[in-house]
Amino acid sequence: KKMAVACPAFISDCIETLEEIGIRGKEDFIAAGGEDLILIPCVNDHDLWIDVLVEWTTAVLEKQPHTHSMTTI
């Protein structure tokens, strides 16, 4: 009767997700006999997500050779 929906493929909320899942999806769910559909927000700019991005970026950059000149193609 009640459902919570997460969209793990998206890291940030977008108008399409909010509208398609949060509004139309909820309407369809209720029309089919459900009582409530809750859209779980994406991670957006949550502190924990930003910390993970910093960790990943730091790990990648530490593995790359350091260059101080820019090259052009």
Side-chain angles (χ1 to χ4, degrees), residues 14-70:
C14 61
I15 192 69
E16 292 86 1
T17 305
L18 296 172
E19 196 270 333
E20 291 173 5
I21 306 297
I23 296 172
R24 284 194 278 154
K26 182 174 186 170
E27 290 170 351
D28 291 344
F29 181 71
I30 291 171
E35 291 178 6
D36 195 18
L37 184 142
I38 299 165
L39 177 60
I40 298 170
C42 295
V43 292
N44 296 308
D45 63 348
H46 190 282
D47 289 344
L48 292 174
W49 173 237
I50 300 303
D51 291 346
V52 168
L53 286 178
V54 169
E55 270 186 49
W56 290 350
T57 303
T58 301
V60 168
L61 291 175
E62 287 174 349
K63 293 178 184 177
Q64 300 298 315
H66 297 286
T67 59
H68 299 288
S69 62
M70 295 190 64

